[in-house]
Amino acid sequence: MAWRDSRGKRRILLLSALSIFFGVAALVAIGSLRDNLEWILEEQTRSLLGADLALEARQPFNDEMERFFRRLGGESSREIRFQSMAAFEGTDAVRLVQVRSLRGGFPFYGAFETDPADRRHLRPGQAIVEESLLMQLGLRVGGEIRLGRSSFEIAGALRRVAGESEVTGFFAPRVYIRWDEVEATELVQKGSIVRHRIYFRFDEGLTGAAAERFAEAEADLFVRNSIRSETVEQRRRNLERLLGNLFGFLGLIGLVALMLGGVGVSGAVQVYVREKLPTVALLRCLGGTAGLVFRVYLLQVAVVAAVGVSLGALAGVGVQHILPVFLAEFLPFDFEIRTSYRAVLGGLVFGWLVAMGSALLPLLEVRRISPLAALRADFDAQKRTRPDALTVAVVIALAGLLIIFSLLQTAVPWHGAAFAGVLLGTLGLLVLLGMALRRILRWGVGQRGSFTWRLALGNLYRPQNRTLFLIVTLGMGAFLINTLYLASGQLLGQVRVTETGDAANLVLLDVQPDQVVELSEALAEAGFPPRDILPIVTMRLDAINGRSLTDLRNDPEANMRRWVFTWEFRASYRAELLDNEVISGGEWIPLHEGGEPYPISVAENILRDMNAALGDRLVWDVQGVPIETYVASVRDVEWQAGRQNFGVIFAPGVLEAAPTIFAVTTRVSERAEAAAIQQLLIGTFPNVSMIDLTLVFETLDDLLQRAAFVVQFMAGFTIATGLLVLAGAILTSRYQRIRESALLRTLGARSRVVRQVMGIEYALLGLLGGLIGTLLALLVSWALTRFFFEMAYSPAWTGLLISLVGLVALTLVTGFLVSRRVATQSPLIVLREEG
Amino acid sequence: MAVSDQSDCILEVSSLTKTYATAHGPLTVLEEANFALARGSTAAIVGPSGSGKTTLLGLCAGLDTPSTGSVRLAGEALEALSEDARAAVRMASVGFVFQNFQLVPTLTALENVMIPMELRGQRRARAIAADRLAEVGLGERLDHYPIQLSGGEQQRVALARAFANEPEILFADEPTGNLDTATSELITRLIFDLNRSRGTTLVLVTHDPELAALTERVFRINRGRLAEDARAVMAAGSRD
């Protein structure tokens, strides 16, 4: 009976099934991909780091550390890394690269992929160069690369090193040379920033005695020697957390598509029930109980929802193969996609529950259709009743489903709860605003305006209108897309703002004290006078308020960020404040002429991570010499503003005698000028490396755009659902529109008038939904920017305007596509209907 | 024919045929219909269901195009006009009343009556519409929506709308078909009063012999063939 009854109205049911298609597809794709990554992390754990343990220091390991390495046992391999400028034979190109040199068998696990293969062990005079750099410069294997005073033959292109993604080489492409050839380059000098690393492999992994010794060292030895460590387990946990956050976020976007699909299901079933009203009334007249009739329609909807979610799950299995294409370069491993049946089942069950919950809301009305409606068509239309307990229960269950799923998606419970809260709040606000809008229209239309306008506006609040439903759908789509757009735009905008204006955009690093004057003069002669000459003194924190860092490291209540214990701080000294910082506490001391403790100024975020406060005593180890300081002032630094700054600033008169290297900044207006400076450096100052901030920002921009694309791709599912729901809503009111259009044309209206009425109606729906969604997006993105990113808020108004116009255009196009032939339908149908 | 002069003729139908292509070959629903109506006259088209009444009415009002033959309405040969041009003729000269009233549900009674005038861009549409509604006894229900009105009231709104433009000809398709006896009588009286007071030609499609008998001429249609009722012709002749 359920099947027979659906005859003739199956199109509406199909629409309802399609509404959830994209949502389920998104959830299955994300869920399956997430499971795949979990499996890979499980299977390839050891290759995530290439070793069981990696240790890193900013200075050569001292004797105490060497003794520890011997005690630790296992197989070890050493590496040094530093940045340098590299020149390439046959081109004028000079690039900042990261030079690496390995001794020993690293990587112990996973690949060291080169082209040609197996070039890990170099012959004298050879180098391996990042493949992307070779491609960018049009260089080939066999060419020559110059680093400092030495030249090397390019023996191979570097594709992948275990534990690193392609992104690793984006900012400073990797170049590997032999261990015994580093010195001859003369790039490593006193004060140069060189990272010394040692990798360990243990037969049983980092377990047993090795693990115990490591744990002991972590608590004391590493803190005293500023050793940063990473175990394969830590790397895995970090990756899991990172990927968990990413996929949680993508899953939440998919969830929005599903919820929006739920709104679509609800709308389609509402129309279906309305059109079935005479049948239901007749069935009741013929003796069918309310329960029986309800079950007939419940069965129809259950089957259709099952079809919709099944199709969506199938599509999701296909889509999961597309996403890795965009993500591959961010992941430190290769992987093949397998279908996760757990994710498919999850998507099916959750999608079906959402679809059924959404369908139940209008479907419950079936129980209340009186048999009297068979006699009087307007009987039920006139009846208004409050929602019954079952309806309330379904609403609560739906909200519960949303909250549970949000919590499951996110690693941090409050993130999921906040998301569900914002989503439910937005939905509620959209409903309230939509209702208010209908009232305003009804009240405001009145007798003013032209006939076409009044008719179009009237359609927005006519009986059985779909205004509220469409405004919620379109508004939700606009809200989501614009929130993503504004939030990512805020981050990208911060990058772009630094490119503009008159700020310095070249930073020359590792300038030795005896090179400062000569380099400055050379720059000035070339037409690029230095903007800032920044002294840099490396130091590490020894104690806070009399407590050693080792002591604090082992105090669970110290509440300090882990990085502080082993960080090598790069402090500076100057008398003036910069324009990208303000004093938020204490007093800026421009000159100190007394003895210890010396006044320092610390950036707010650094002080927070140290869990220290204004006035606290900090002891620093300045390359072997302890210096006692106190926090005289706290600065609020705008780190994103592009101008160089330092976390810790001393007053002049304290650090001048300490071993210092310098950074020099200048500004170039075009790429060719930067190339000229690069040539100057490589010839005269080979140890000085240069960071082209414009290039860095471009790369960062490119990376963010690529990352944003993944998010936009998923958001596309929401938009697709929104348009589908919109098309469904228009399609379900198509018959009524055709009838009205035919009537108007019978009364003498030209088809243009009918089109105008439809055009105004669709445009208004798009505009109102878009406006409400955009306003809510502004509110949420403001809150995100202000409280989460902690940045100044400057929304991209042009983009918002374009998105609003785009939404109106999409609504219009969808509306007219679905309503085609409505305006030209023969008026005869009015008469035919009479017969 | 009861029309003596071309200028007196509001509707002239000549050799009108309508054929539809079906899976079983062409289906002729109206065959070689001929008649002419004088301005201010009244006529009824009667016949069983499926006989072609609605097809004929649709063709006469320019809602559909004939397969062959011609319809001249208010001096315009409809077959030569586009749909929009035919709409313009309807707007200028034609009024409609339907069995199911056909009011726009989003508009009030007053706004429904204003439609034809607003489509013409006529001034004082609101005042005129209010007058028309007062004429049909709905002066107090101007701001009511169709759903708030009874069937009889809705048909009176439709009638006020039909006469709002002061049309030269009114096509009424079963105007009392959905109404009770008392309301039917009221609507019938209103239609004929307006016909008399404004000289509007009246074309009624009806099953009701009593209603048909009130018109000057009665056309019977059966299986697509149109014939004028002889008694009615004689009656019309005696009136002429």
Side-chain angles (χ1 to χ4, degrees), chain A residues 426 430 470-480 769-770 772-774 807:
Chain A
T426 307
L430 277 167
L470 284 176
I471 283 186
V472 169
T473 309
L474 292 171
M476 198 53 137
F479 164 72
L480 187 75
I772 295 177
T774 305
L807 185 70

Side-chain angles (χ1 to χ4, degrees), chain A residues 33-107:
Chain A
L33 207 55
R34 191 180 200 159
D35 285 351
N36 268 278
L37 288 168
E38 270 177 25
W39 294 332
I40 290 154
L41 288 181
E42 186 75 35
E43 289 163 9
Q44 301 184 16
T45 300
R46 284 183 145 183
S47 66
L48 293 177
L49 191 60
D52 293 314
L53 171 66
L55 303 177
E56 182 184 292
R58 292 291 180 96
Q59 63 280 316
F61 295 111
N62 59 22
D63 292 343
E64 189 181 17
M65 286 305 299
E66 293 294 344
R67 282 197 296 278
F68 168 72
F69 298 153
R70 282 195 290 278
R71 251 197 354 268
L72 194 59
E75 184 185 352
S76 66
S77 175
R78 299 194 185 225
E79 184 191 89
I80 59 167
R81 296 178 177 183
F82 54 91
Q83 300 208 326
S84 164
M85 303 309 288
F88 300 87
E89 188 199 22
T91 71
D92 290 336
V94 179
R95 288 281 187 279
L96 179 74
V97 296
Q98 185 181 64
V99 181
R100 295 179 177 187
S101 186
L102 274 168
R103 197 177 72 186
F106 181 83

Side-chain angles (χ1 to χ4, degrees), chain A residues 605-617:
Chain A
N605 57 323
I606 309 274
L607 203 63
R608 198 165 48 233
D609 286 359
M610 290 175 175
N611 195 22
L614 193 69
D616 280 0
R617 297 283 177 109

